[in-house]
Amino acid sequence: MIKMDSIVKRFGEQTVLKDVTFKANEKEIFGLLGPSGAGKTTIINILTNQLEADGGSHSIGTDMLEIGLMLDSDGLFVRLNCLENLNVFAEVYGVPRKKSLEALKSVGLEDAVKKPVNDLSKGMRQRLALARAILHEPKVLFLDEPTSGLDPSTARGIHSLIQGLCDNGATVFLTTHNMGEAVSLCSHVALLHQGKIIEYGAPSEICERHNSFKTIPDLEAVFIKLTGVSLE
């Protein structure tokens, strides 16, 4: 469903992606894992044609109109309330406005429909951005660190929603530096360090390849073993 083959990206004299190759299968949650600055957001921007690669090829097996995006910058209209924000995008996507209410309910914001974005907490803003991303029931969903900075209860709710979307047929491309999140959600992951994929596969398989991580998958320990640095 989602493929990158030998992707290279440069900003000036700095090469930020170096021969990046991976694939995400249809109807799975795929995790791209790495610390801040590793190149995760750049990969999403290339896959969604917001940036042009300097080498290699990439593809997504669906129309761009069937893609949902939740990026680091939420791009919400701060003077509008939650429902008004989603209604704007309902018009863009050509879906009934009742879908706005359904999306807000799915992320637990049914009691905040009239609340202005300016008055939302960080967690509520992230849930609103997720509601916007799933509003048109996309076949492919890109989520860039969707639970970063959230309290554990809110994060668990978003995890449950992401799993439900996949169970209903969506392909989810998730970036995170939370290894526990990746182990609980992802069928396959790629570990990204300084613009390079240093490991790829099912979380348990990656751990087993690195000896002592066999009982409980510990991707954090594997990453530290391979790079000498923590994801935090």
Side-chain angles (χ1 to χ4, degrees), residues 39-227:
K40 303 188 300 294
T41 301
T42 300
I43 285 175
I44 286 182
N45 287 339
I46 289 172
L47 284 169
T48 55
N49 295 328
Q50 298 177 80
L51 277 177
E52 186 174 343
D54 296 306
S57 61
H58 62 90
S59 64
I60 300 176
T62 192
D63 188 271
M64 293 300 290
L65 293 176
E66 295 180 317
I67 293 173
L69 290 170
M70 180 186 174
L71 303 180
D72 182 49
S73 176
D74 60 43
L76 297 168
F77 301 114
V78 296
R79 295 186 180 181
L80 301 182
N81 64 37
C82 293
L83 183 60
E84 290 167 340
N85 262 272
L86 293 198
N87 282 342
V88 169
F89 286 89
E91 293 289 336
V92 171
Y93 292 127
V95 300
R97 286 196 170 192
K98 68 178 182 178
K99 292 289 186 181
S100 298
L101 285 171
E102 292 174 6
L104 288 172
K105 184 176 181 179
S106 71
V107 299
L109 290 177
E110 62 268 32
D111 295 329
V113 293
K114 298 297 184 181
K115 195 167 188 175
V117 169
N118 259 339
D119 295 337
L120 299 179
S121 66
K122 178 180 179 180
M124 294 175 76
R125 286 184 68 127
Q126 284 183 256
R127 283 186 279 160
L128 179 58
L130 180 57
R132 183 185 60 194
I134 65 175
L135 178 64
H136 57 307
E137 299 178 358
K139 290 184 178 179
V140 177
L141 184 61
F142 287 93
L143 302 177
D144 193 1
E145 301 195 2
T147 61
S148 176
L150 298 185
D151 64 87
S153 177
T154 302
R156 285 193 296 271
I158 288 181
H159 290 168
S160 178
L161 176 59
I162 292 171
Q163 186 63 62
L165 292 168
C166 181
D167 292 343
N168 287 328
T171 301
V172 181
F173 187 100
L174 172 74
T175 76
T176 184
H177 59 258
N178 183 329
M179 290 302 192
E181 182 170 79
V183 169
S184 66
L185 287 176
C186 299
S187 302
H188 295 89
V189 299
L191 305 187
L192 184 69
H193 178 59
Q194 296 180 347
K196 294 182 178 180
I197 300 293
I198 58 173
E199 259 291 10
Y200 170 84
S204 60
E205 292 171 354
I206 291 175
C207 292
E208 288 174 5
R209 283 200 290 270
H210 294 273
N211 300 321
S212 61
F213 313 103
K214 293 182 178 180
T215 305
I216 301 174
D218 189 352
L219 287 179
E220 176 76 21
V222 170
F223 192 87
I224 292 172
K225 176 184 177 182
L226 293 175
T227 66

